[in-house]
Structures are given as structure tokens and as C-alpha cells.
């Protein structure tokens, strides 16, 4: 997802994303993102913050593994579903859902794990400052996981700006992680073959950044 390159009337994130989620009773699969599963499986559970949690699948997966999770999203429609799914999964007690526009948000406490999984928007969105705030929310010895699209389907009606989809090493550099003593692991994962509306196939690459803050 990315912003359209042509001029748009001002779009508010809450309305835009509520409308997006209202188009169907369920938008995402309900399965956790594979990069979350592979990167976090070895970490000891603690407190976690999931930014742009959508319908809650990743936060719920973490809660099922013993994490105490706070999910933040700008869409109240998505958060209502996330809370319902958490209840059905039996992890309501280990999950909290907060509605914030991350463009205006600053962390008020720290967490053992902070995740931002495909935190992209179809409207203007200050992703890098948000990721900076995400890094600031990681407790000493804690981890930051940022997973994003690195490529976009050629048939998409969205015309994303390439800077909206940076490789993980660019994200790490922009956040100044290595210079601040973080242990940084980055990867580009050509994970998925997507099929377009006319049956055309394209290999899509995701960028994965996992970084550990010094204790
Ligand atoms: C592409 S979806 C990804 C959802 C989920 N993380 C996943 O991987 O399935 C992006 C999410 O970010 C949320 N989002 C977009 N802009 C936001 C903002 N300004 N503040 C908070 N959440 C936002 C959207 O509501 C949406 O749930």
C-alpha cells in the first residue's frame, strides 16, 4: 500500500481505514504474519506493543504464546474485531486495544517487544517518525521488529512512492540503530508469489528488520 501520486483531497486516517475495514466483515486471513512467527518464536515472552494491529491476528498470536500485548490502530472498526477475536481465542485478559493515530502518538512506557508489521497506508503517513517512536518504546534488552513491503504488485492501482517501501537496512540506518549500540539483523525475503486480477504472477519481497536494544 502507498499513497497515490496524484493530488488527493485531505484524507483522515481514521475515516479512511474505518471505511477500508467496513468493506468486509473480515479483511485479513486471521493468521499471524510469517515473519513474526519466524523472528519472535525464540524470544522469551514479556510485554509487547503491536503498531497498526488491524484485526489483531499478530497480537493474538503473541498473547497465545504468553505475551501481554497492547495493539494500537487508528481504525475503531478493526479494533472492535480484534477485541472480539481475542475473546474467542481466550486471550482477552492478555490483550489491550488502543485507538490512536500513530502520526500523533508518542509512547508513554516501554515494552520488551515492539512490532510494526506492514505498517503502510494508502494516504500520507509519517512512517519513519512513527518507527522512531516505536524504537524509543523498546525497553533495554528488548526487541524491535519492523516488517514491510519492499516491492509492490505491478498491477496495483496504487502508485506508491518508492520511499514508502524501504529495504530493512535503510530503515535501520534511518533510525540510527547500529550507532546507538543495537544489534541489528536485516533481511529481504522474496516470500510470496502474488496473483494479479488477470492471473499474472509477481514475486513480492518483504523487508524484515529485527533489532535488539542494548541491555
Ligand atoms: C496494511 S495494514 C496492516 C495490518 C496488520 N499489521 C497486518 O499485517 O495484517 C495497516 C494498518 O495500519 C493501520 N494504520 C494506518 N494508518 C495509521 C495511523 N495513522 N495510525 C494508526 N494506525 C494506522 C491501519 O488501520 C491498518 O490496520
Amino acid at each position: 500500500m502507498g499513497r497515490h501520486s496524484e493530488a488527493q483531497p485531505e484524507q483522515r486516517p481514521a475515516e479512511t481505514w474505518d471505511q477500508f475495514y467496513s468493506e468486509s466483515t473480515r479483511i485479513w486471513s486471521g493468521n499471524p504474519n510469517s515473519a513474526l512467527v519466524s523472528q519472535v518464536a525464540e524470544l522469551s515472552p514479556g510485554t509487547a506493543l503491536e503498531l497498526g494491529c488491524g484485526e489483531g491476528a499478530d497480537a493474538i498470536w503473541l498473547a497465545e504464546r504468553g505475551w501481554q500485548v497492547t495493539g494500537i490502530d487508528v481504525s475503531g472498526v478493526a479494533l472492535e474485531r480484534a477485541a472480539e477475536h481475542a475473546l474467542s481465542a481466550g486471550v482477552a485478559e492478555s490483550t489491550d486495544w488502543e485507538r490512536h493515530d500513530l502520526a500523533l502518538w508518542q509512547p508513554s512506557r516501554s515494552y520488551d517487544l515492539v512490532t510494526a508489521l506492514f505498517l503502510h497506508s494508502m494516504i500520507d503517513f509519517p512512517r519513519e517518525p512513527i518507527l522512531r517512536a516505536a524504537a524509543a518504546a523498546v525497553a533495554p534488552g528488548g526487541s524491535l521488529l519492523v516488517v514491510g513491503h519492499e516491492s509492490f504488485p505491478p498491477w496495483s492501482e496504487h502508485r506508491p512512492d518508492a520511499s514508502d517501501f524501504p529495504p530493512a537496512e535503510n530503515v535501520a540506518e534511518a533510525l540510527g540503530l547500529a550507532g546507538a549500540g543495537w544489534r541489528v539483523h536485516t533481511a529481504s525475503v522474496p516470500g510470496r508469489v502474488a496473483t494479479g486480477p488477470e492471473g499474472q504472477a509477481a514475486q513480492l519481497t518483504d523487508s524484515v528488520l529485527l533489532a535488539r536494544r542494548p541491555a
Side-chain angles (χ1 to χ4, degrees):
M1 242 170 244
R3 58 182 174 241
H4 294 274
S5 54
E6 67 269 24
Q8 295 288 309
E10 192 190 336
Q11 291 173 293
R12 299 199 182 109
E15 282 88 342
T16 301
W17 283 97
D18 273 347
Q19 191 180 344
F20 172 82
Y21 280 106
S22 298
E23 280 164 16
S24 167
T25 52
R26 179 159 217 162
I27 298 284
W28 310 113
S29 69
N31 298 320
N33 279 296
S34 57
L36 175 74
V37 173
S38 61
Q39 300 297 324
V40 167
E42 302 298 313
L43 300 181
S44 303
T47 54
L49 176 66
E50 154 67 339
L51 301 178
C53 63
E55 295 167 324
D58 294 308
I60 290 168
W61 182 84
L62 285 167
E64 287 172 338
R65 273 142 198 89
W67 294 83
Q68 182 68 40
V69 191
T70 301
I72 292 181
D73 205 281
V74 76
S75 167
V77 176
L79 290 174
E80 267 178 39
R81 286 181 199 164
E84 280 165 22
H85 296 158
L87 195 60
S88 309
V91 292
E93 302 266 300
S94 332
T95 48
D96 289 301
W97 309 101
E98 295 184 10
R99 188 178 193 185
H100 298 290
D101 179 351
L102 288 168
L104 308 173
W105 168 85
Q106 282 299 322
S108 54
R109 50 159 292 188
S110 58
Y111 299 83
D112 300 312
L113 172 67
V114 179
T115 61
L117 302 161
F118 299 100
L119 183 59
H120 300 291
S121 187
M122 70 282 263
I123 60 173
D124 260 348
F125 181 66
R127 188 167 186 264
E128 193 179 302
I130 291 170
L131 295 181
R132 212 177 289 286
V138 176
S143 298
L144 173 69
L145 176 65
V146 180
V147 179
H149 296 295
E150 195 174 310
S151 58
F152 215 70
W155 56 79
S156 172
E157 65 187 47
H158 297 295
R159 290 283 162 268
D161 188 310
S163 63
D164 289 339
F165 301 95
E169 53 268 30
N170 293 20
V171 177
E173 198 182 326
L175 301 183
L177 298 179
W182 291 61
R183 194 150 47 82
V184 178
H185 167 76
T186 62
S188 290
V189 184
R192 295 173 289 122
V193 175
T195 306
E198 284 155 27
Q200 68 275 50
Q203 173 101 332
L204 298 185
T205 301
D206 297 331
S207 78
V208 179
L209 163 66
L210 179 68
R212 171 77 60 97
R213 184 178 208 135

